[in-house]
Amino acid sequence: MRTPRGRGPDPGRDPVPAPEPAPRPGRPLLVHGTVEEWARAAESHRSPPHPGDAARLRALRDDRLRRRFLASRLLLRTTLGALAGRDPDGIVLARTALGRPYAPDLPELDFSLSHTGSLLAVAVVRGGRVGVDAERPGRPMSVLEHRMCTPHERAGLDARGLRGTARDAELLRLWTLKEAYAKALGTGFRHPPRTIGLDPADPAGRPALPGTLPGTLSTATRTLPDGTVVGVVSASGVERGSSRSADDEPIP
């Protein structure tokens, strides 16, 4: 997983990450920034909001949610535009019936978005499927353990002697990966997290990612300087050269 180093916004420019080569097929790229900087960049645009965003903006009554939506859209379009060599303003974003975002004109790029607090995180993969989740540290995750862990995972935590904050930290890492996997699936937690084992040795196994070949799943965790934990799950080997499956029907 590659994480390009970001830079702050310059006058008249979006806070675009430093130039990076396009990710190799199946290798995810992680880009992150703050709502504040990307919202300022969105507000500095002289053009009106993207036509495809109008309906969502009308549905959001809270100014804070509107700013975060505009910030995330600009971050997505800027990242995809940089990777595809396209004008970001010309990139159309859509959602499947289950809410998974995609770019109809860029079928070779699959992406996922997460936010927590002021952080925005985007993971992109070429020729694969990807999911990303970001969580702030310090959550008492042990209260969710029985709902999120497979028996194999709980046994592993016990075998390592993890207790208290150390156990919470490991559970948070695992939770971000399961959230990211659910996003890559595009179905959310229709499969309860306690039934999904991301370890190949886990008897619980996992459902296959749509359109991907078996045995190509990879996971990665990155801890940002402020302690935020970011989990990325990706799979390469998408069939028919498309990052979407037949199950990913667009919303009307």
Side-chain angles (χ1 to χ4, degrees):
M1 176 176 65
R2 303 187 65 189
T3 306
R5 183 179 301 170
R7 60 169 180 258
D10 297 327
R13 301 177 65 181
D14 295 334
V16 63
E20 287 278 334
R24 295 197 302 269
R27 187 180 184 186
L29 177 72
L30 175 65
V31 179
H32 55 86
T34 67
V35 171
E36 291 78 12
E37 64 181 344
W38 285 94
R40 286 196 301 268
E43 290 162 356
S44 70
H45 270 39
R46 297 184 182 278
S47 57
H50 195 281
D53 299 340
R56 290 285 301 278
L57 280 171
R58 285 195 299 270
L60 296 173
R61 303 299 182 187
D62 188 307
D63 287 342
R64 184 175 50 114
L65 296 180
R66 290 169 62 89
R67 292 185 82 245
R68 189 176 70 191
F69 174 74
L70 289 172
S72 64
R73 287 308 220 209
L74 183 57
L75 174 57
L76 279 173
R77 290 193 173 96
T78 301
T79 302
L80 295 174
L83 293 176
R86 297 269 298 273
D87 177 3
D89 288 339
I91 294 176
V92 175
L93 299 175
R95 291 182 298 147
T96 68
L98 294 175
R100 192 173 196 273
Y102 69 98
D105 298 332
L106 299 173
E108 74 280 8
L109 294 179
D110 192 65
F111 58 92
S112 179
L113 172 71
S114 183
H115 58 78
T116 181
S118 64
L119 177 77
L120 296 172
V122 174
V124 186
V125 71
R126 187 182 299 277
R129 293 278 288 214
V130 70
V132 63
D133 184 57
E135 301 286 348
R136 286 180 287 187
R139 294 177 58 186
M141 297 298 296
S142 57
V143 298
L144 298 175
E145 182 176 331
H146 69 289
R147 295 171 51 194
M148 61 171 282
C149 288
T150 67
H152 177 85
E153 290 164 346
R154 298 189 74 179
L157 293 170
D158 290 339
R160 293 165 61 186
L162 294 178
R163 298 288 185 274
T165 57
R167 195 175 183 101
D168 279 337
E170 181 60 16
L171 286 168
L172 183 65
R173 186 190 72 83
L174 182 60
W175 176 257
T176 63
L177 291 176
K178 292 200 176 192
E179 282 269 20
Y181 185 70
K183 290 183 178 181
L185 279 173
T187 60
F189 278 133
R190 287 191 168 188
H191 305 277
R194 67 177 180 275
T195 68
I196 299 174
L198 296 179
D199 181 346
D202 194 333
R206 52 186 178 264
L209 288 168
T212 62
L213 303 178
T216 56
L217 188 74
S218 65
T219 65
T221 301
R222 185 173 183 86
T223 303
L224 303 183
D226 66 354
T228 299
V229 178
V230 182
V232 178
V233 173
S234 62
S236 59
V238 168
E239 299 171 340
R240 298 183 297 279
S242 171
S243 62
R244 295 183 59 228
S245 77
D247 296 329
D248 287 346
E249 294 299 330
I251 59 175

